[in-house]
């Protein structure tokens, strides 16, 4: 948890310095690692060698560890992370990255 907090603090700093893609990417890594840990905590396995945030989130929902609103919230965070990680026509906004960082912080503190 301390490592996740440190990484999210670094993402906050990147966002403040207008490195929005980097801040979003770093937050996405934290989210993915946290969801992988949640899966491990509950003995959940993925058929994929390198599961995505969506794969991990689906496994957690199917095991009834989260409900549909929480699953959708995590999917939204994954969408924001994808906007940051993939070169698309639009750049992620500071507000989107700030929302992503705050959302990852919330998930990492409330989902075990």
């Amino acid at each position: 948890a301390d490592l996740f907090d440190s990484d999210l603090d670094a993402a906050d700093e990147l966002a403040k310095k207008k490195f929005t893609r980097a801040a979003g990417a770093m937050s996405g890594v934290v989210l993915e690692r946290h969801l992988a840990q949640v899966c491990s905590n509950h003995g959940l396995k993925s058929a994929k060698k390198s599961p995505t945030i969506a794969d991990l989130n689906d496994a957690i929902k199917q095991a009834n560890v989260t409900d549909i609103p929480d699953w959708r919230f995590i999917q939204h965070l994954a969408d924001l992370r994808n906007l940051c990680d993939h070169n698309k026509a639009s750049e992620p906004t500071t507000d989107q990255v700030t929302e992503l960082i705050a959302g990852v912080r919330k998930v990492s503190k409330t989902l075990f």
Side-chain angles (χ1 to χ4, degrees), residues 42-100:
H42 292 272
L44 307 175
K45 306 249 187 238
S46 174
K48 292 185 177 179
K49 182 179 178 184
S50 298
T52 65
I53 291 171
D55 297 327
L56 298 167
N57 192 31
D58 286 348
I60 292 166
K61 181 181 76 104
Q62 289 170 359
N64 295 316
V65 175
T66 60
D67 58 14
I68 290 175
D70 288 337
W71 173 80
R72 285 190 178 130
F73 178 69
I74 294 168
Q75 283 301 112
H76 175 67
L77 297 177
D79 290 341
L80 292 175
R81 176 257 183 214
N82 286 339
L83 180 62
C84 295
D85 279 4
H86 303 290
N87 196 7
K88 302 206 178 190
S90 64
E91 290 290 316
T93 67
T94 302
D95 287 343
Q96 288 170 321
V97 171
T98 301
E99 179 183 355
L100 174 57

Side-chain angles (χ1 to χ4, degrees), residues 12-69:
D12 270 331
E13 284 302 311
L14 286 168
K16 287 177 188 170
K17 292 180 169 56
K18 305 295 183 201
F19 294 105
T20 52
R21 279 193 189 275
M26 182 173 270
S27 300
V29 168
V30 172
L31 180 59
E32 193 170 322
R33 285 190 316 205
H34 181 71
L35 294 178
Q37 183 60 54
V38 171
C39 284
S40 177
N41 293 350
H42 292 272
L44 307 175
K45 306 249 187 238
S46 174
K48 292 185 177 179
K49 182 179 178 184
S50 298
T52 65
I53 291 171
D55 297 327
L56 298 167
N57 192 31
D58 286 348
I60 292 166
K61 181 181 76 104
Q62 289 170 359
N64 295 316
V65 175
T66 60
D67 58 14
I68 290 175

